[in-house]
Amino acid sequence: MGAAGGRVGFYVGLGLALASSAFIGSSFILKKKGLLRLCRRGRARAGQGGHAYLQEWLWWAGLLCMGVGEAANFAAYAFAPATLVTPLGALSVLVSAVLSSTFLNEQLNVHGKIGCLLSILGSTVMVIHAPQEEEVSSLESMAEKLKDPGFIVFAVCVLVSCLLLIFVAGPRYGQSNVLVYVLVCSAIGSLSVSCVKGLGIALKELFSGKPVLKEPLGWVLLVCLVICISVQINYLNKALDIFNTSVVTPVYYVLFTTSVMMCSAILFKEWQHMVLDNIIGTISGFLTIVSGIFLLHAFRDMPFTPDLLPLFLQPGRTDPRASWRSPDRHQSCQHQPLLPSEDKSSQSTEEEEEEEG
């Protein structure tokens, strides 16, 4: 019964994570459609300080979808391992890209389509080989996990590293190196996911009738979550303000997901009982998603013309040997005769005799 209940909880978390990606990806499209409608009406745009979007129902629908998606993502951490839920967040980027090409007439080039396919394949591999975390069903067991020396060392290293990045590396390299502020967001994000996991367990206990509100750990986790999210938003906005979004997004996804996977492996011992093929499958699926996100963002604005294809794939060149059979083909220098032909030599001799005559 325990194993069956664990599998049911796993599939519930998986479904919530997928629903979260669908809602969050759709929310961007709805908000964009609402803003475009306001622009066509001649209303003040949001980028110019206007707030007319507050009167547009499509924008509010997008905001509602965003809220539902974040709530589903929050609940998914209470049922499924964080190593599974966090990488699946990349599917929201995929949903947004596909829907924008359909409803916003935004071009999705070949690189983007390959990136979407790789993201789907990587997500499938990660679901198949997802780790099974140790059973954490109460705040008491969560408190025991937080007291683990390995997690304490990890948390101290994260905090010290973030302080060094903020106060030492930030003033020197923050304006020129994208890793400085993104590393702060990613490292703090690993702690925020742990807080979300604990709060999800607290909510499950609250709905089951336990006096969770009297437990101080739940309130401590809530305060820590608010602080971590505030730091994340602050430094992510700094990175987006300085660097291109197509650079920040894939780098942030890779570093954030890697940090969460490390934190979950230390705190919840998700990888302790995994066999080798599941470990390789999880890492391979994650790297496949990373490759897909990179292709989707890094080459988003790069035009893909037929001239970039090999000759046998270009339109009008279906037969690679056609050019060799064409009568007006150009001969390469390797096929030119080393000595002049007899016709040319006789013609030049006649021209010399006429000049002497």
Side-chain angles (χ1 to χ4, degrees):
M1 290 295 292
R7 297 307 297 176
V8 170
F10 174 85
Y11 289 123
V12 170
L14 175 62
L16 289 171
L18 294 176
S20 170
S21 299
F23 277 107
I24 293 176
S26 303
S27 69
F28 293 111
I29 307 304
L30 291 172
K31 287 182 178 179
K32 185 69 174 180
K33 289 283 287 185
L35 294 174
L36 289 175
R37 287 181 58 175
L38 291 174
C39 184
R40 287 194 296 267
R41 295 174 187 170
R43 309 292 295 273
R45 302 180 62 177
Q48 300 172 349
H51 299 283
Y53 57 86
L54 296 176
Q55 303 175 2
E56 177 58 50
W57 70 270
L58 272 177
W59 186 89
W60 283 105
L63 184 64
L64 179 62
C65 281
M66 176 70 75
V68 173
E70 293 295 345
N73 186 64
F74 182 91
Y77 283 106
F79 295 95
T83 305
L84 173 68
V85 177
T86 303
L88 289 181
L91 295 180
S92 64
V93 181
L94 184 150
V95 171
S96 177
V98 173
L99 292 181
S100 63
S101 65
T102 303
F103 296 102
L104 299 178
N105 298 322
E106 295 182 3
Q107 188 66 29
L108 186 63
N109 57 15
V110 176
H111 301 93
K113 294 176 182 178
I114 296 175
C116 292
L117 179 61
L118 287 176
S119 298
I120 294 175
L121 293 177
S123 301
T124 304
V125 172
M126 287 207 71
V127 170
I128 294 174
H129 298 280
Q132 296 298 316
E133 63 190 25
E134 286 189 350
E135 186 67 24
V136 182
S137 57
S138 63
L139 284 180
E140 288 80 7
S141 58
M142 184 70 184
E144 293 297 325
K145 297 291 183 184
L146 294 175
K147 294 177 184 178
D148 185 76
F151 176 73
I152 293 175
V153 171
F154 174 80
V156 170
C157 292
V158 166
L159 294 176
V160 171
S161 301
C162 290
L163 291 175
L164 291 175
L165 287 170
I166 292 172
F167 296 106
V168 178
R172 296 182 182 180
Y173 310 108
Q175 301 292 322
S176 58
N177 195 325
V178 68
L179 292 177
V180 176
Y181 293 138
V182 175
L183 275 173
V184 175
C185 303
S186 304
I188 294 296
S190 64
L191 299 180
S192 67
V193 168
S194 301
C195 296
V196 168
K197 184 77 174 178
L199 288 174
I201 295 171
L203 287 176
K204 287 173 64 176
E205 287 191 319
L206 180 63
F207 292 146
S208 63
K210 295 183 180 180
V212 178
L213 298 178
K214 298 180 181 179
E215 295 287 339
L217 180 59
W219 299 104
V220 172
L221 291 175
L222 180 61
V223 172
C224 292
L225 178 62
V226 172
I227 296 174
C228 291
I229 291 179
S230 301
V231 174
Q232 279 183 265
I233 293 175
N234 180 36
Y235 287 96
L236 182 60
N237 286 335
K238 284 188 176 183
L240 291 172
D241 185 54
I242 298 171
F243 303 99
N244 196 328
T245 306
S246 62
V247 175
V248 174
T249 302
V251 173
Y252 174 65
Y253 171 78
V254 173
L255 294 178
F256 172 69
T257 307
T258 304
S259 301
V260 171
M261 292 172 68
M262 290 176 56
C263 181
S264 299
I266 295 172
L267 181 60
F268 300 108
K269 308 296 189 296
E270 293 178 352
W271 299 62
Q272 186 172 355
H273 305 290
M274 290 178 65
V275 294
L276 182 61
D277 58 346
N278 284 337
I279 294 176
I280 296 175
T282 300
I283 296 176
S284 300
F286 172 61
L287 294 178
T288 305
I289 297 175
V290 168
S291 303
I293 294 297
F294 178 78
L295 284 175
L296 188 59
H297 280 275
F299 302 100
R300 180 174 55 188
D301 299 325
M302 178 179 291
F304 191 87
T305 60
D307 297 336
L308 299 176
L309 293 171
L311 290 177
F312 67 93
L313 292 178
Q314 293 183 11
R317 293 179 180 265
T318 55
D319 188 358
R321 295 169 296 181
S323 59
W324 294 101
R325 295 197 299 264
S326 59
D328 57 343
R329 62 181 176 86
H330 297 285
Q331 293 182 347
S332 64
C333 356
Q334 296 178 352
H335 294 83
Q336 295 291 342
L338 298 177
L339 296 175
S341 61
E342 295 181 359
D343 294 336
K344 290 184 179 179
S345 61
S346 61
Q347 182 179 359
S348 61
T349 303
E350 292 176 0
E351 290 177 357
E352 290 176 0
E353 291 177 354
E354 288 177 0
E355 290 176 359
E356 291 176 359

